[in-house]
Amino acid sequence: MPYLVAADLPAGTAGARFRALLGRPGILQIPGTHNGLAALQAKAAGFEAVYLSGAAMSASMGLPDLGVITVDEVCFFVRQVVRASGLPLLVDGDTGYGEALNVMHMVRAFEEAGAGAVHVEDQLLPKKCGHLNDKKLADAHDMAAKVHAAARARRDLVIVARTDAAASEGIDGAVARAKLYLEAGADAIFPEALTTAEMFRAFAAAMPGVTLLANMTEFGRTPFFTASEFEAMGYRMVIWPVSSLRVANKAQSRLYAAIRRDGGTQNMIGDMQTRAELYATIGYHDYEALDASIVETVIPQGMPQR
């Protein structure tokens, strides 16, 4: 159940728990969870860390992924995912919501909301999804200044520096930027929108000993690879950022079409999560048991006599 009593709280900070997962053998598989319920379902499936995508958060608000959402809006998502699942959370920090001081504010806000890791990218606003064309890159030294600011501001948040340079500057340019970001204090590197296995291998070969993150998003520039394939190419983390939202949105679209067509939901019952399944996922009966276990407060009647 979600963590309502002190004994149920995870031991250690979110950042420390995220680092511990990275310290274990094998690739860390991190599915995107666009809300608290999705995070509970990912946890029930056996995942040990989860991800919040800027594209998924924006889309769930009916907005495009152009860097228009705010730190406070992201913190709303962070809090619900962390509260629901208790899992270490990697958050998409887009471009850091401004320059160095804004990045420091973002880092503190995300840590206070419960995040374990954040990635920041080297695009200029208005930023785009990493798999679209005509991305405009920030100066590498300006991005390094943001990474340095993030490292100075964090308590133990894991800082992942994302570079979108491969599309315009090639692997060599992306590697040069990544090395600069590591010198500035990044804990890991996220090379975005690599398009072939050869590119993934070449980037990893140029960054020996560095913790690398791979992005397995659908309908983008990257072909489908499995977690084990990314691991064999030299990567320590893999995210599926928007997959849960894509599946949920497709199902909702079919539902609304069916109601409009059939005048009700009678033909969609087989595609629905039952009430019992929902209650089991959110721990409904655990809440009831906790409520029943709390002793009723006795309010003193009047003042004691001397």
Side-chain angles (χ1 to χ4, degrees):
M1 65 178 291
Y3 301 92
L4 294 181
V5 296
D8 295 328
L9 291 171
T13 65
R17 290 183 288 122
F18 196 91
R19 291 177 193 277
L21 291 175
L22 286 176
R24 300 189 323 191
I27 190 168
L28 179 58
Q29 301 181 41
I30 315 175
T33 53
H34 58 284
N35 58 27
L37 183 58
L40 282 172
Q41 291 177 309
K43 183 177 183 178
F47 291 99
E48 296 179 280
V50 289
Y51 177 68
L52 263 175
S53 155
M57 289 184 280
S58 297
S60 70
M61 296 169 65
L63 295 170
D65 182 25
L66 294 171
V68 296
I69 60 176
T70 67
V71 169
D72 287 345
E73 287 170 329
V74 174
C75 283
F76 168 79
F77 287 94
V78 172
R79 283 190 292 269
Q80 65 171 295
V81 166
V82 170
R83 182 178 61 234
S85 71
L87 296 177
L89 170 67
L90 168 62
V91 185
D92 182 352
D94 284 340
T95 62
Y97 308 95
E99 299 307 318
L101 288 177
N102 306 86
V103 170
M104 296 176 87
H105 169 65
M106 174 200 73
V107 164
R108 285 294 174 90
F110 285 3
E111 277 198 314
E112 290 166 1
V118 64
H119 69 71
V120 185
E121 66 201 53
D122 56 6
Q123 285 195 58
L124 293 173
L125 289 173
K127 61 138 292 178
K128 289 186 173 184
C129 167
H131 290 254
L132 298 181
N133 62 309
D134 296 328
K135 296 178 290 184
K136 295 178 175 60
L137 297 183
D139 176 84
H141 292 279
D142 290 343
M143 172 63 178
K146 290 186 180 183
V147 173
H148 180 65
R152 285 188 63 186
R154 53 110 174 261
R155 296 175 178 90
D156 66 350
L157 193 73
V158 175
I159 307 298
V160 181
R162 169 177 142 178
T163 179
D164 288 63
S168 57
E169 299 178 2
I171 289 294
D172 290 344
V175 166
R177 283 175 172 264
K179 290 180 177 178
L180 192 63
Y181 305 160
L182 288 168
E183 292 172 4
D187 300 297
I189 296 295
F190 171 7
E192 174 63 309
L194 304 186
T195 58
T196 65
E198 290 71 25
M199 290 181 73
F200 279 101
R201 291 192 192 99
F203 190 91
M207 308 291 292
V210 175
T211 300
L212 300 178
L213 182 151
N215 179 12
M216 190 56 262
T217 190
E218 302 83 15
F219 313 110
R221 295 176 182 268
T222 301
F224 280 106
F225 296 110
T226 64
S228 60
E229 287 172 327
F230 279 122
E231 183 178 6
M233 289 189 280
Y235 291 75
R236 292 286 295 112
M237 293 179 276
V238 56
I239 56 173
W240 294 268
V242 194
S243 308
S244 66
L245 183 73
R246 297 191 204 282
V247 170
N249 285 352
K250 191 76 170 182
Q252 286 178 169
S253 179
R254 289 198 299 267
L255 169 69
Y256 296 137
I259 294 173
R260 183 68 175 165
R261 180 188 65 244
D262 304 330
T265 62
Q266 62 273 15
N267 294 320
M268 295 295 294
I269 296 299
D271 294 323
M272 292 185 183
Q273 183 185 50
T274 68
R275 185 185 297 269
E277 290 167 339
L278 172 61
Y279 284 4
T281 301
I282 62 178
Y284 188 95
H285 299 302
D286 294 327
Y287 278 96
E288 288 186 316
L290 177 62
D291 184 52
S293 73
I294 297 172
V295 176
E296 182 179 354
T297 299
V298 178
I299 301 174
Q301 299 296 315
M303 294 284 290
Q305 299 300 309
R306 293 181 64 182

